[in-house]
Amino acid sequence: MTLFILPAISSGIILCWFFYWIFSAVFIFSVGTPEPRENYPFVTEVKWDINTRCVFIYHVFGLLWINAFIVGCVQFIVGAAACIWYFECNTDSKGRNTLVKASKWLFRYHLGSIAFGSFVIAVCQMIRLIFEYYRRKMGSLSKEIKWVKVALCMTGWILWLLEHVVKYMTKNAYIQIALTNKSFFPSAWNAFTLIIKHAHRFGFGNAIGTVFIVFGCMLVGSVTTACAYLFLTN
C-alpha cells in the first residue's frame, strides 16, 4: 500500500522542478538585445544570438530529460518493489520494507541505467518538439498544398508513435533491470523478446489497465462534479 504515496511525491517533485525551470527560462529569455519589433516600432522584442538559442534549446532538453528521469525512477521503484515482494512474501520478512529496498537498489546500482533510458525518451520528445515548431513555421504552405499537409500529419503521427513505443519499452526495461540486475541494453532486449513471445498477454493486460483508467477518470470526475454541485446548492 505504500506504493500509493509515490505518484503524489513524484508529482510534487516534478511540479517544483517545473517552477524552477520556468524561473530559469525567464532569465535565459531575457538575454539579448532589445530592438523594435518589425511593423510595430513602438513594441520592443529581445533579439537572441546563436549562443542564447543554443542555451535555450539545451534548457528545454533538460526539462524533458529530468522530467522523464523522475518518472523513470518512480517506475523502477514500483517494478523493483513488486519483484522483491513477489520473492519475499512467503519468507520470514513477509515482503515488508520492499519500497525501501527498491529505493536503495535505484540510488546505489541502477541510477545510470534510468538516466540513459530517460535520455532516450527525451531525445524522442525533443525531435517531436522541433518538428512541431517547424510545422507551425510553415503555416500557410501546409494548408495550401495537400500533399505537404498529408506528409506533415503522417510524420507527426510516426513521431508520436515512436515516443510512445520508446516509453513503453523503457518502462519494461526498468522492470527487467530490477529482475536481472543487468544494464539498460540487455534489459531492453530481454523486455522486447518477452513482449514478442507473450504479445497476447501483454495486450490483454494493457487493455484491462486502460479500462480501469477510463472508469477511474469517470469516477473521479463524477464524484468531483457531485461534490461541487452539493457545495453550490447548499
Side-chain angles (χ1 to χ4, degrees):
M1 294 300 294
T2 53
L3 287 177
F4 284 101
I5 66 173
L6 284 179
I9 294 174
S10 62
S11 298
I13 294 173
I14 290 174
L15 193 63
C16 294
W17 159 241
F18 185 68
F19 282 126
Y20 172 75
W21 185 89
I22 292 178
F23 185 77
S24 305
V26 170
F27 280 92
I28 297 173
F29 190 85
S30 64
V31 176
T33 305
E35 295 181 1
R37 183 174 295 181
E38 187 178 356
N39 300 325
Y40 299 95
F42 53 87
V43 179
T44 59
E45 63 179 348
V46 178
K47 292 290 185 180
W48 290 352
D49 58 9
I50 186 64
N51 293 324
T52 307
R53 290 182 182 276
C54 292
V55 169
F56 192 77
I57 292 172
Y58 173 78
H59 194 58
V60 172
F61 183 77
L63 170 68
L64 301 175
W65 189 0
I66 294 180
N67 182 71
F69 176 75
I70 296 171
V71 174
C73 289
V74 174
Q75 290 175 340
F76 176 84
I77 291 174
V78 171
C83 294
I84 297 170
W85 180 87
Y86 179 81
F87 290 107
E88 292 187 359
C89 62
N90 293 323
T91 62
D92 294 336
S93 65
K94 301 298 181 182
R96 290 186 292 268
N97 297 323
T98 56
L99 199 64
V100 176
K101 291 180 183 178
S103 301
K104 288 181 179 178
W105 285 11
L106 170 67
F107 291 105
R108 186 173 181 180
Y109 301 112
H110 302 297
L111 209 60
S113 297
I114 308 304
F116 184 80
S118 57
F119 172 79
V120 176
I121 295 175
V123 168
C124 295
Q125 291 175 334
M126 194 68 186
I127 293 173
R128 279 194 69 196
L129 201 62
I130 294 173
F131 170 77
E132 291 296 331
Y133 172 78
Y134 281 106
R135 183 166 73 170
R136 291 181 180 273
K137 282 288 186 182
M138 295 179 70
S140 59
L141 180 62
S142 62
K143 296 179 181 178
E144 295 173 359
I145 306 175
K146 292 184 178 180
W147 68 268
V148 174
K149 185 177 181 179
V150 173
L152 290 174
C153 290
M154 287 297 297
T155 306
W157 180 80
I158 291 172
L159 291 175
W160 174 86
L161 181 64
L162 174 65
E163 179 187 344
H164 282 70
V165 168
V166 170
K167 284 182 177 180
Y168 185 72
M169 287 303 304
T170 51
K171 182 176 69 173
N172 285 276
Y174 297 155
I175 298 172
Q176 290 296 318
I177 291 172
L179 273 172
T180 61
N181 199 31
K182 294 182 179 179
S183 59
F184 181 81
F185 282 111
S187 301
W189 177 251
N190 291 337
F192 176 75
T193 54
L194 187 67
I195 292 171
I196 294 298
K197 290 179 181 178
H198 304 282
H200 61 289
R201 293 184 178 181
F202 277 87
F204 186 70
N206 289 332
I208 294 177
T210 302
V211 171
F212 273 105
I213 290 173
V214 170
F215 278 104
C217 292
M218 292 173 60
L219 178 63
V220 171
S222 302
V223 172
T224 305
T225 304
C227 291
Y229 175 77
L230 293 174
F231 177 77
L232 292 173
T233 54
N234 295 286

